[in-house]
Amino acid sequence: QSELTQPPSVSGAPGQRVTISCTGSSSNLGAGYDVHWYQHLLGTAPKLLIHGNNNRPSGVPDRFSGSKSGTSASLAITGLQAEDEADYYCQSYDSSLGDWVFGGGTKLTVL
Amino acid sequence: DVQLVESGGGLVQPGGSLRLSCAASGFAVSSTYMSWVRQAPGKGLEWVSIIYRDGSTYYADSLKGRLTMSRHSPENTVSLLINSLRREDTAVYFCARGQGTFEDQYFDYWGQGTLVTVSS
């Protein structure tokens, strides 16, 4: 059971917009800790997409954006492309555990 | 360019030990936080351990007592020794570089991972 809850799967057609939610609690997102997002294809290195709630590293397309409010966060992907099909994870710090925690992951399918 | 390359994974019997290694290039491992993160088959990512800039270490509660993470500055590597391996430790183990403030850190570079299989 992850401290951060994500939907197991989302899907969308090419060109559409999808969002992936990440729900936490008062000991992580609600405590003001940042949320970060990663894209992961099995067999490869996870890739940082968003850090500090809404900051894109250089090289990440502006189709990817992040937001956070209270105990929830979301990743939005616009102009969906076939290459976006991957697993997406949110990550934050949990003060009750004293650990860095990941969401359970969301599999994005591009229809 | 920043690069992380893990090694040392393999098949080990329950109760055995394994030392994983992560070779870094493009930066000094002593200049930042370094973590190990694992992914069990069909599961999500799980943070395992961290070594701070000052060399101190911290481990996930679920694994505490069985792990030793260390840093080897001349070789620019970090390693993770896992003792008393259990079947549920079967996973791909990634090393990752931490950036940002300590609690709000994020992992900006990851290796490709090394597979640890615990089975008799």
Side-chain angles (χ1 to χ4, degrees):
Chain A
Q1 191 77 9
S2 303
E3 303 303 311
L4 303 176
T5 301
Q6 297 180 233
S9 63
V10 297
S11 63
Q16 283 189 332
R17 178 182 187 270
V18 296
T19 60
I20 298 172
S21 61
C22 175
T23 303
S25 67
S26 58
S27 61
N28 43 66
L29 303 187
Y33 295 112
D34 287 346
V35 66
H36 319 293
W37 291 91
Y38 304 87
Q39 179 189 61
H40 186 215
L41 281 162
L42 208 59
T44 69
K47 175 186 176 182
L48 176 68
L49 281 181
I50 298 287
H51 66 88
N53 305 320
N54 55 16
N55 300 290
R56 274 188 315 276
S58 61
V60 174
D62 59 7
R63 301 186 297 106
F64 295 89
S65 63
S67 63
K68 174 181 171 260
S69 178
T71 59
S72 295
S74 65
L75 173 72
I77 309 172
T78 59
L80 210 54
Q81 299 179 3
E83 68 203 46
D84 298 333
E85 193 162 281
D87 295 324
Y88 292 83
Y89 294 88
C90 59
Q91 175 246 317
S92 186
Y93 180 80
D94 190 281
S95 58
S96 290
L97 296 175
D99 289 351
W100 291 269
V101 292
F102 290 89
T106 298
K107 181 174 182 59
L108 169 63
T109 301
V110 180
L111 301 170
Chain B
D1 284 1
V2 171
Q3 193 173 11
L4 298 169
V5 179
E6 302 93 338
S7 60
L11 176 64
V12 60
Q13 292 190 339
S17 299
L18 205 59
R19 182 184 295 276
L20 308 180
S21 185
C22 172
S25 57
F27 74 102
V29 294
S30 59
S31 68
T32 187
Y33 310 110
M34 293 295 295
S35 278
W36 286 92
V37 177
R38 70 181 182 180
Q39 183 177 34
K43 303 291 186 183
L45 299 172
E46 178 189 18
W47 175 80
V48 169
S49 66
I50 187 171
I51 188 163
Y52 305 168
R53 279 188 279 255
D54 66 1
S56 53
T57 54
Y58 190 75
Y59 307 104
D61 275 350
S62 59
L63 291 149
K64 204 172 287 185
R66 298 195 293 124
L67 302 181
T68 304
M69 185 174 182
S70 54
R71 186 172 66 208
H72 316 280
S73 296
E75 294 82 19
N76 208 33
T77 61
V78 295
S79 63
L80 181 69
L81 174 65
I82 315 173
N83 293 314
S84 303
L85 278 157
R86 305 167 182 169
R87 286 183 171 80
E88 55 265 34
D89 294 322
T90 294
V92 175
Y93 286 74
F94 299 97
C95 71
R97 186 177 82 166
Q99 292 288 291
T101 58
F102 179 64
E103 289 163 341
D104 280 329
Q105 70 178 277
Y106 53 93
F107 307 111
D108 66 340
Y109 284 94
W110 300 64
Q112 300 262 27
T114 186
L115 175 62
V116 173
T117 303
V118 184
S119 174
S120 53

